[in-house]
Each structure stands twice: as C-alpha cells, then as structure tokens.
Amino acid sequence: MIEVSTTPDAQNLLHQLNTLLEQESRCQPKLCGLRLIETAHDNGLRMTARLRDFEVKDLLSLTQFFGFDTETFSLAVNLLDRFLSKMKVQPKHLGCVGLSCFYLAVKSIEEERNVPSATDLIRISQYRFTVSDLMRMEKIVLEKVCWKVRATTAFQLLQLYSSLIRENLPPERRNSLNFERLEAQLKACHCRILFSKAKPSVLALSIVALEIQAQKALELTEGVECLQKHSKISARDLIFWQELVSKCLTEYSSNKCSKPNVQKLKWIVSGRTARQLKHSYYRISHLPTIPETVS
C-alpha cells in the first residue's frame, strides 16, 4: 500500500507519519514507573492504577464538557503518565496534578479563544485548591517533563493510519473505516494505565487492525501489514496488544464493567455557573458509546 501510493495527499500523510514515528520515543512515560504504579497496594498513601484510571476518566469528562478535541485528551493522558512515572505522587495531590496536565494540554492544542480561565476550570472541577496552587503544580509538571509538552500521541497516529488506509480505497469504500468508532475505542484504552506501556504507534495500529478484523474487511488487511512494516512494529507486538485491546473493549461492553457513563458526574454545575462560562458547550458525558460497526 504505502510503497505504491503516489498521490500528493498520501505522500503528505506519509511524511507526517515518518515525523511522528521519529519522535515517538522521546516523550513517553517511563515503563519502570508505570509498573510501580500497577503493583502498588491501595493503602491511601501511594499512587495506584485504580486511582490513575479514575483521574483519566475525570479528564475525559472535562474534555467532553468543554467540547475539546480528542488530541487534547490524549496529550493530557501522556503528560499525566509521564509525570506519574517519574514522581511519587500522593493520592491527595492527584487532582491538582491531573488538572495541571489537562490545562497544559488545552493551552497547547486548543484555539486560544476556547481556553477556559483557570478559575472556571477549578470551579467546574469543584476542587478546593486555588489558582496559585494550580499554577505552581503546572510549573512542577513542566519541569519534570523537561518543558516538552507536545508529544507523539496514539490519537495522532490513529488519524494517520486510518487516513492512509482510506486514501488507498475507492471513494465509495472510504467510509467503511469509521473513525468515530476508532476514536471511542482509543478513549476507552486511555482510561487504563496498561495501554500507556504500549508505544503510541502500536496501540493505534492495534485498534485499526482489530476493527478491520471485526468488519472482516479483507481488502484492508494488506494496508495494515504495510503500515506495520513501515512503522517497524513486529507481528508479535501487534498481536499481543491487539489481544489486550480486544479484551479491554469486550469488558467495556459488558454490564460488569464500571463505565464512567453510569457514574454520577463529579462536577455538579449549577445553571448560574453554566451561564457564567464563556463556552457554549454544555455536554456532560463520560466515555462515549462505541458506535456500531458499519457494514
């Protein structure tokens, strides 16, 4: 697929992909730090995988409340995991850390006119810390991530992989790969620390490959294989993470899974508070429902 693609759009997408793949390993969480969080006991004094996952679900709620891009959420998760994998964070400080990472991502990705004030952000989140506390934590986060806010994220690669596959399909078949569904699946994976141990390229391609398998779209399989080779992803790694993604999405679809969308919002926003916000977005939701596969 990639080797024979000569359209200007495809070549531009390929150039973007190469750039992201080159930068992929520079701003990712430390694996040893993530493993420590995964093995930590929930005693109220140490960061655990469960606490981290709840915090990410809260960040997803904020993302959707303001109508921000999924790239903002994906970058916020990256910043949070990079910080948590380096620092011993007490659970009582997690909210401030998480909101600081979120705010950094918002200011990096969103248009300036859509960036809420720190006061509004704290008020909606109903945290007790102050704007000064948030700004201090933001500086600490910046220092620990070496002032490198932007990073290659799984969302960026998911966009490119799906676009490259669609670019090589006839026009009438380009809607067969539903990006909204892929995006929802990525959000579900981000809410589990396990998937922060995967390279963004591996996670993104695993989601695409799994969706193509689910659709039984054999004509798209060759495209996945070409992207796998181009991205230097081993077949073993791809299969390994595909299985974990499949298990995650199966559990997410199960009634036994504690989904964020059946939990009450942490943010209880009064009508007056909502009217005071500069944004027109007033959508309060959690993890999106994963759209049905397009046949």
Side-chain angles (χ1 to χ4, degrees):
M1 178 190 101
I2 292 178
E3 291 86 344
V4 299
S5 182
T6 57
T7 67
D9 287 344
Q11 291 301 313
N12 180 50
L13 290 170
L14 188 56
H15 174 72
Q16 293 179 49
L17 176 61
N18 290 338
T19 300
L20 290 178
L21 290 173
E22 286 178 9
Q23 300 172 350
E24 181 175 33
S25 62
R26 297 177 187 174
C27 297
Q28 296 305 316
K30 294 174 62 176
L31 287 177
C32 58
L34 294 177
R35 293 190 184 107
L36 283 175
I37 294 173
E38 284 185 311
T39 57
H41 296 293
D42 197 352
N43 58 10
L45 300 175
R46 295 185 62 186
M47 184 55 50
T48 65
R50 183 182 66 84
L51 290 173
R52 177 269 180 200
D53 291 352
F54 273 126
E55 180 62 25
V56 171
K57 290 172 187 176
D58 284 350
L59 298 186
L60 179 55
S61 293
L62 272 179
T63 302
Q64 296 184 198
F65 178 86
F66 284 105
F68 290 149
D69 195 84
T70 301
E71 168 60 3
T72 298
F73 171 63
S74 198
L75 180 58
V77 173
N78 171 273
L79 288 167
L80 177 64
D81 287 333
R82 283 160 64 190
F83 186 81
L84 294 180
S85 67
K86 286 185 175 182
M87 302 295 294
K88 292 183 178 179
V89 177
Q90 294 184 24
K92 64 181 180 180
H93 296 141
L94 180 59
C96 192
V97 171
L99 201 62
S100 298
C101 293
F102 179 76
Y103 206 25
L104 285 169
V106 169
K107 289 185 285 188
S108 178
I109 301 295
E110 301 294 333
E111 293 183 19
E112 186 176 353
R113 61 187 174 85
N114 292 329
V115 177
S117 68
T119 301
D120 280 344
L121 198 57
I122 294 172
R123 182 167 68 237
I124 292 170
S125 306
Q126 292 199 343
Y127 283 120
R128 296 189 178 185
F129 50 77
T130 66
V131 171
S132 296
D133 294 331
L134 185 66
M135 295 300 101
R136 276 197 299 272
M137 184 59 73
E138 189 176 275
K139 184 178 179 181
I140 293 172
V141 171
L142 283 170
E143 289 174 349
K144 296 305 175 183
V145 300
C146 303
W147 297 85
K148 296 177 182 177
V149 174
R150 299 303 293 265
T152 295
T153 64
F155 177 74
Q156 293 172 315
L157 289 159
L158 188 70
Q159 281 184 312
L160 287 173
Y161 285 147
S162 60
S163 295
L164 278 163
I165 288 176
R166 283 199 300 268
E167 186 66 26
N168 288 269
L169 288 173
E172 66 273 13
R173 289 284 292 139
R174 288 184 180 177
N175 291 329
S176 60
L177 198 58
N178 186 333
F179 187 73
E180 180 186 355
R181 180 176 166 83
L182 296 174
E183 193 175 2
Q185 291 172 346
L186 176 62
K187 290 176 182 177
C189 290
H190 271 327
C191 290
R192 297 196 176 187
I193 194 173
L194 166 67
F195 295 102
S196 293
K197 295 192 296 184
K199 285 184 177 180
S201 58
V202 177
L203 176 57
L205 194 58
S206 295
I207 292 172
V208 172
L210 196 64
E211 180 62 14
I212 288 173
Q213 285 183 12
Q215 291 189 39
K216 297 181 172 59
L218 298 179
E219 73 275 19
L220 303 182
T221 303
E222 183 181 353
V224 171
E225 292 175 354
C226 289
L227 287 170
Q228 174 194 333
K229 292 176 182 177
H230 186 85
S231 303
K232 298 180 181 178
I233 298 172
S234 71
R236 180 178 180 180
D237 280 349
L238 189 61
I239 293 171
F240 175 79
W241 286 103
Q242 271 184 242
E243 290 176 351
L244 291 177
V245 169
S246 178
K247 182 179 179 183
C248 169
L249 298 179
T250 299
E251 292 174 353
Y252 174 71
S253 300
S254 168
N255 291 330
K256 295 180 181 180
C257 177
S258 176
K259 301 183 185 69
N261 62 350
V262 298
Q263 296 175 0
K264 290 186 177 180
L265 269 181
K266 181 177 182 180
W267 302 280
I268 304 171
V269 184
S270 68
R272 179 181 178 185
T273 301
R275 286 191 297 271
Q276 290 174 343
L277 294 176
K278 298 178 182 177
H279 305 273
S280 60
Y281 301 104
Y282 190 51
R283 298 178 298 154
I284 303 181
S285 55
H286 284 277
L287 279 175
T289 301
I290 297 177
E292 296 295 328
T293 302
V294 177
S295 57

